[in-house]
Amino acid sequence: MSSANHHTHTRSLFSNKFGYILAAAASAIGLGNLWRFPYLAAKYGGGTFLITYIVLVLTLGFTLSITENSLGRKTGKSAILAFREFGKKYTFIGVLVSVIPMIIFPYYSVIGGWVLKYFATYARGGHASAIEDGFFGSFISSTAEPLIWTAIFLAFVFMVVAFGVNRGIEKSNRVMMPLLLVLLIAISIYGLFLPGAIDGLKYFLIPDFSKFSPALVLAAMGQMFYSLSLAMGILITYGSYLDKKEDLEKSVAQVDMLDTVVSILAGLMIIPAVFAVAGPENLGAGPSLMFITLPKVFNHMGAPDLVGSAFFLLVFFAAATSAISLLETIVSIFCDATKMSRKKALAIIACISVALAVPSSLGYGIWANFKILGMQVLDFMDFISNSLLMPIAAFLTCVFVGWIIGAKAIHDEITLSSRFKTQKTYRIMVKYVAPILVLLILASSMLSAFGLLSL
Ligand code: PHE
């Protein structure tokens, strides 16, 4: 019986709709929401960034999520093969899309390592040292220690994928994710009562359009791709496992909404706290924001070591489940494209990951002088993937669907299981609005980066 099921064309992996939503949310919710969103929102003018982000999720984000999931479910394949299904000449879109997770995964693991270091510090009762000036700076600029934590993070993720225990991890998520939400809300509420926090709340929620810039829009768009796991083949793979009977549109909407809510909560937790414990001059702190602000908030709380270790443990879980989904995607792409065994694919990916993670980590220390386009290695990888390759991949995907296979192909796939409520808007979005928007944002920010345009 069960072997017959394996050969059905839906290759359904999820026991029910809840299973899909949980797995997709586990991939979506991660460091992107907790670490990356707040520092970008802080840096790019708070409320202006927030509103731009929400508008982009509702338009571009939702369109792309629907598109990728439908392409996956329609073809039953992962990215490269899914595009090839429509003709050999489209394979390159799949290839482009597939390079992106390989760039993100290594530096994602470096930040995952930072999270582990903070967990270990709190678990050993080190809340006092975590707030010392220079604690974070001297940690990330040292040579061996961040690399060791990155290695531990990588080892964990590789082991889970190699031994195929992802299902177990996903089960634990049923407990970990709600706990993370509760803790986010509790820390946010606590933080809002600190003196000065209300100014931060205003900064985060009230737009100030004088802060609007092409760079802001590009950052918000890159963040949206990153956080919703778009434009890198992940959702094509997830869609290929989605049951033909499930309401695709609704599932996708729920995942996107959940992901956005978690980002907003993370912003509520961190940005007001920056005003209260560190001062608004620290808004531009960038990647270090979460690691220097939150420890100071924890220190005000009753049991800082307990709160700190619980928080960083839950962040670790969120990061690990996202990293697992990244690695799974990379493995399936390698195996699909070259027919090599999983074992061999894992070994090759491990080598590439280490080769890219080491410079990302050392870029904060002994290799700090090595800059590419004025950026450290980690920032550069982040920039290349989120601000350049993902918009290009998203543009190509929209053109492919809107102009080559036609929005009707997506419509037919969705209506296999349910009505397609946003059908009319979808067609206009995928054909005109989304590709033009992506192109405009990309072009204007590139021009302004090179000083050819001032807005
Ligand atoms: N979306 C994840 C996050 O927000 C990161 C991620 C990107 C995970 C791509 C999987 C694939 O952290």
Side-chain angles (χ1 to χ4, degrees):
M1 283 285 279
S2 68
S3 71
N5 277 340
H6 276 138
H7 296 290
T8 56
H9 146 92
T10 57
R11 70 165 185 174
S12 175
L13 175 80
F14 310 109
S15 42
N16 52 34
K17 179 170 141 229
F18 193 57
Y20 171 81
I21 293 182
L22 252 167
S27 160
I29 298 172
L31 294 173
N33 310 66
L34 303 164
W35 158 77
R36 204 171 181 277
F37 178 87
Y39 90 66
L40 287 174
K43 181 168 163 198
Y44 287 104
T48 323
F49 184 88
L50 179 63
I51 192 138
T52 310
Y53 183 81
I54 292 175
V55 169
L56 284 172
V57 169
L58 291 174
T59 53
L60 208 55
F62 187 56
T63 305
L64 273 164
S65 312
I66 294 255
T67 305
E68 293 190 22
N69 274 288
S70 307
L71 281 177
R73 195 173 78 167
K74 192 174 193 71
T75 56
K77 304 257 157 66
S78 63
I80 296 186
L81 297 181
F83 281 101
R84 190 156 81 194
E85 189 97 342
F86 298 94
K88 265 224 158 82
K89 56 177 180 290
Y90 305 121
T91 317
F92 81 97
I93 309 182
V95 175
L96 173 70
V97 157
S98 305
V99 177
I100 300 171
M102 194 64 250
I103 302 179
I104 295 186
F105 181 69
Y107 82 80
Y108 201 86
S109 305
V110 172
I111 314 289
W114 297 356
V115 171
L116 276 177
K117 155 81 179 178
Y118 271 72
F119 167 67
T121 305
Y122 279 100
R124 275 178 288 165
H127 69 275
S129 54
I131 56 160
E132 274 166 21
D133 269 353
F135 175 83
F136 179 74
S138 65
F139 162 62
I140 59 166
S141 60
S142 58
T143 300
E145 211 197 338
L147 284 178
I148 294 171
W149 290 111
T150 303
I152 298 175
F153 186 88
L154 277 170
F156 179 82
V157 172
F158 270 94
M159 240 130 77
V160 169
V161 173
F163 295 122
V165 290
N166 326 21
R167 285 307 202 71
I169 297 286
E170 267 161 26
K171 280 219 182 84
S172 66
N173 245 337
R174 285 168 204 228
V175 185
M176 295 293 192
M177 278 219 277
L179 273 182
L180 177 67
L181 280 182
V182 171
L183 201 61
L184 282 181
I185 295 172
I187 299 172
S188 308
I189 294 177
Y190 186 88
L192 285 172
F193 281 102
L194 295 172
I198 296 302
D199 286 335
L201 184 66
K202 286 191 195 142
Y203 177 79
F204 180 50
L205 295 180
I206 303 172
D208 165 3
F209 286 103
S210 67
K211 301 226 164 70
F212 201 76
S213 69
L216 176 152
V217 188
L218 182 73
M221 185 172 74
Q223 170 62 18
M224 181 202 77
F225 291 144
Y226 187 96
S227 186
L228 299 179
S229 311
L230 293 178
M232 53 186 123
I234 301 235
L235 294 184
I236 300 184
T237 312
Y238 273 61
S240 77
Y241 290 118
L242 185 61
D243 199 289
K244 292 273 186 199
K245 291 196 281 302
E246 292 306 340
D247 185 334
L248 193 152
E249 186 184 26
K250 195 162 144 202
S251 307
V252 164
Q254 282 168 342
V255 173
D256 287 0
M257 201 170 74
L258 204 62
D259 186 75
T260 306
V261 166
V262 175
S263 290
I264 296 175
L265 278 175
L268 283 174
M269 169 177 74
I270 292 180
I271 297 177
V274 175
F275 279 71
V277 300
E281 67 279 6
N282 289 300
L283 282 171
S288 58
L289 192 63
M290 175 171 106
F291 298 96
I292 36 190
T293 307
L294 282 180
K296 293 189 181 148
V297 177
F298 297 157
N299 238 43
H300 285 274
M301 299 175 94
D305 289 318
L306 186 67
V307 181
S309 31
F311 177 78
F312 284 107
L313 183 67
L314 293 170
V315 175
F316 165 71
F317 255 86
T321 50
S322 295
I324 290 165
S325 83
L326 272 168
L327 182 56
E328 269 295 347
T329 308
I330 305 173
V331 173
S332 70
I333 286 167
F334 263 70
C335 296
D336 279 358
T338 63
K339 304 270 173 304
M340 65 172 69
S341 68
R342 266 179 81 87
K343 242 201 201 141
K344 193 164 164 209
L346 277 168
I348 297 177
I349 300 163
C351 296
I352 306 178
S353 307
V354 171
L356 293 178
V358 169
S360 306
S361 180
L362 295 183
Y364 282 96
I366 53 169
W367 289 359
N369 291 330
F370 176 69
K371 296 236 159 109
I372 316 171
L373 296 180
M375 287 177 252
Q376 282 153 333
V377 184
L378 192 147
D379 292 351
F380 178 71
M381 301 230 225
D382 189 81
F383 174 80
I384 283 289
S385 48
N386 299 293
S387 300
L388 200 65
L389 295 178
M390 281 152 128
I392 295 174
F395 173 76
L396 291 173
T397 309
C398 290
V399 170
F400 174 74
V401 168
W403 296 88
I404 294 170
I405 65 168
K408 184 160 184 312
I410 304 295
H411 169 268
D412 291 348
E413 180 57 38
I414 292 178
T415 49
L416 282 180
S417 49
S418 57
R419 282 185 51 218
F420 186 9
K421 296 196 202 70
T422 56
Q423 184 200 147
K424 284 209 185 91
T425 351
Y426 175 79
R427 213 184 68 84
I428 301 171
M429 283 299 304
V430 80
K431 209 166 168 181
Y432 306 102
V433 183
I436 294 174
L437 200 64
V438 174
L439 218 57
L440 275 180
I441 297 174
L442 195 60
S444 64
S445 59
M446 290 301 144
L447 288 177
S448 77
F450 293 108
L452 297 172
L453 177 84
S454 59
L455 276 179

mmCIF file of all heavy atoms in Angstrom, residues 27-28 30-33 108 226-227 229 232 234 322 325-326, ligand 1:
data_model
loop_
_atom_site.group_PDB
_atom_site.id
_atom_site.type_symbol
_atom_site.label_atom_id
_atom_site.label_comp_id
_atom_site.label_asym_id
_atom_site.label_seq_id
_atom_site.Cartn_x
_atom_site.Cartn_y
_atom_site.Cartn_z
ATOM 1 N N SER A 27 10.804 26.825 7.858
ATOM 2 C CA SER A 27 11.838 27.290 6.941
ATOM 3 C C SER A 27 11.859 28.811 6.891
ATOM 4 O O SER A 27 12.912 29.442 6.902
ATOM 5 C CB SER A 27 11.574 26.737 5.538
ATOM 6 O OG SER A 27 12.263 27.511 4.578
ATOM 7 N N ALA A 28 10.681 29.404 6.877
ATOM 8 C CA ALA A 28 10.603 30.851 6.719
ATOM 9 C C ALA A 28 11.073 31.601 7.969
ATOM 10 O O ALA A 28 11.814 32.564 7.887
ATOM 11 C CB ALA A 28 9.169 31.258 6.383
ATOM 12 N N GLY A 30 13.192 32.455 10.920
ATOM 13 C CA GLY A 30 14.559 32.165 11.332
ATOM 14 C C GLY A 30 15.300 33.450 11.634
ATOM 15 O O GLY A 30 14.705 34.453 12.032
ATOM 16 N N LEU A 31 16.601 33.420 11.390
ATOM 17 C CA LEU A 31 17.411 34.597 11.669
ATOM 18 C C LEU A 31 16.951 35.797 10.854
ATOM 19 O O LEU A 31 17.150 36.935 11.261
ATOM 20 C CB LEU A 31 18.874 34.287 11.347
ATOM 21 C CG LEU A 31 19.515 33.234 12.257
ATOM 22 C CD1 LEU A 31 20.907 32.873 11.760
ATOM 23 C CD2 LEU A 31 19.600 33.774 13.690
ATOM 24 N N GLY A 32 16.341 35.538 9.709
ATOM 25 C CA GLY A 32 15.838 36.628 8.889
ATOM 26 C C GLY A 32 14.856 37.488 9.662
ATOM 27 O O GLY A 32 14.901 38.716 9.601
ATOM 28 N N ASN A 33 13.982 36.839 10.416
ATOM 29 C CA ASN A 33 12.979 37.579 11.183
ATOM 30 C C ASN A 33 13.584 38.188 12.445
ATOM 31 O O ASN A 33 13.280 39.315 12.802
ATOM 32 C CB ASN A 33 11.853 36.654 11.638
ATOM 33 C CG ASN A 33 11.301 35.834 10.503
ATOM 34 O OD1 ASN A 33 12.003 34.980 9.952
ATOM 35 N ND2 ASN A 33 10.071 36.087 10.136
ATOM 36 N N TYR A 108 24.929 32.179 6.899
ATOM 37 C CA TYR A 108 23.830 31.936 7.855
ATOM 38 C C TYR A 108 24.365 31.142 9.047
ATOM 39 O O TYR A 108 24.024 31.404 10.192
ATOM 40 C CB TYR A 108 22.734 31.135 7.140
ATOM 41 C CG TYR A 108 21.357 31.216 7.770
ATOM 42 C CD1 TYR A 108 20.501 32.253 7.443
ATOM 43 C CD2 TYR A 108 20.915 30.261 8.666
ATOM 44 C CE1 TYR A 108 19.230 32.340 7.997
ATOM 45 C CE2 TYR A 108 19.645 30.333 9.225
ATOM 46 C CZ TYR A 108 18.814 31.380 8.882
ATOM 47 O OH TYR A 108 17.564 31.459 9.428
ATOM 48 N N TYR A 226 14.396 37.148 1.438
ATOM 49 C CA TYR A 226 15.157 36.349 2.403
ATOM 50 C C TYR A 226 14.237 35.729 3.437
ATOM 51 O O TYR A 226 14.290 34.542 3.722
ATOM 52 C CB TYR A 226 16.146 37.297 3.070
ATOM 53 C CG TYR A 226 17.157 36.680 3.988
ATOM 54 C CD1 TYR A 226 18.426 36.368 3.517
ATOM 55 C CD2 TYR A 226 16.881 36.469 5.330
ATOM 56 C CE1 TYR A 226 19.382 35.839 4.358
ATOM 57 C CE2 TYR A 226 17.836 35.935 6.179
ATOM 58 C CZ TYR A 226 19.085 35.631 5.688
ATOM 59 O OH TYR A 226 20.032 35.116 6.536
ATOM 60 N N SER A 227 13.367 36.561 3.985
ATOM 61 C CA SER A 227 12.550 36.097 5.101
ATOM 62 C C SER A 227 11.476 35.105 4.664
ATOM 63 O O SER A 227 11.203 34.122 5.353
ATOM 64 C CB SER A 227 11.919 37.301 5.791
ATOM 65 O OG SER A 227 11.242 36.895 6.942
ATOM 66 N N SER A 229 11.758 33.136 2.304
ATOM 67 C CA SER A 229 12.493 32.088 1.558
ATOM 68 C C SER A 229 12.077 32.061 0.087
ATOM 69 O O SER A 229 11.842 31.003 -0.487
ATOM 70 C CB SER A 229 12.285 30.686 2.157
ATOM 71 O OG SER A 229 12.473 30.654 3.533
ATOM 72 N N MET A 232 14.627 31.375 -4.377
ATOM 73 C CA MET A 232 15.803 30.498 -4.294
ATOM 74 C C MET A 232 15.403 29.034 -4.359
ATOM 75 O O MET A 232 16.120 28.161 -3.873
ATOM 76 C CB MET A 232 16.619 30.800 -3.049
ATOM 77 C CG MET A 232 15.833 30.792 -1.773
ATOM 78 S SD MET A 232 16.872 31.331 -0.432
ATOM 79 C CE MET A 232 15.945 32.700 0.165
ATOM 80 N N ILE A 234 13.363 27.239 -2.859
ATOM 81 C CA ILE A 234 12.872 26.516 -1.692
ATOM 82 C C ILE A 234 11.388 26.217 -1.819
ATOM 83 O O ILE A 234 10.936 25.102 -1.594
ATOM 84 C CB ILE A 234 13.108 27.344 -0.422
ATOM 85 C CG1 ILE A 234 14.586 27.610 -0.284
ATOM 86 C CG2 ILE A 234 12.484 26.687 0.788
ATOM 87 C CD1 ILE A 234 15.195 27.209 0.977
ATOM 88 N N SER A 322 15.649 26.621 9.764
ATOM 89 C CA SER A 322 15.801 27.308 8.481
ATOM 90 C C SER A 322 17.034 26.793 7.751
ATOM 91 O O SER A 322 17.001 26.553 6.545
ATOM 92 C CB SER A 322 15.937 28.820 8.684
ATOM 93 O OG SER A 322 14.748 29.328 9.224
ATOM 94 N N SER A 325 16.407 23.497 6.160
ATOM 95 C CA SER A 325 15.659 23.564 4.909
ATOM 96 C C SER A 325 16.546 24.090 3.773
ATOM 97 O O SER A 325 16.406 23.681 2.630
ATOM 98 C CB SER A 325 14.383 24.384 5.057
ATOM 99 O OG SER A 325 14.648 25.743 4.920
ATOM 100 N N LEU A 326 17.465 24.986 4.103
ATOM 101 C CA LEU A 326 18.426 25.440 3.098
ATOM 102 C C LEU A 326 19.272 24.274 2.611
ATOM 103 O O LEU A 326 19.433 24.038 1.417
ATOM 104 C CB LEU A 326 19.364 26.501 3.693
ATOM 105 C CG LEU A 326 18.941 27.955 3.635
ATOM 106 C CD1 LEU A 326 19.839 28.796 4.528
ATOM 107 C CD2 LEU A 326 19.034 28.474 2.210
HETATM 108 N N1 PHE B 1 13.777 32.517 5.663
HETATM 109 C C1 PHE B 1 14.812 32.168 6.573
HETATM 110 C C2 PHE B 1 14.928 33.204 7.643
HETATM 111 O O1 PHE B 1 14.191 34.156 7.681
HETATM 112 C C3 PHE B 1 16.133 32.034 5.919
HETATM 113 C C4 PHE B 1 16.084 31.083 4.840
HETATM 114 C C5 PHE B 1 16.322 31.507 3.607
HETATM 115 C C6 PHE B 1 15.746 29.786 5.072
HETATM 116 C C7 PHE B 1 16.225 30.641 2.576
HETATM 117 C C8 PHE B 1 15.655 28.915 4.073
HETATM 118 C C9 PHE B 1 15.887 29.360 2.817
HETATM 119 O O2 PHE B 1 15.753 33.107 8.489
#
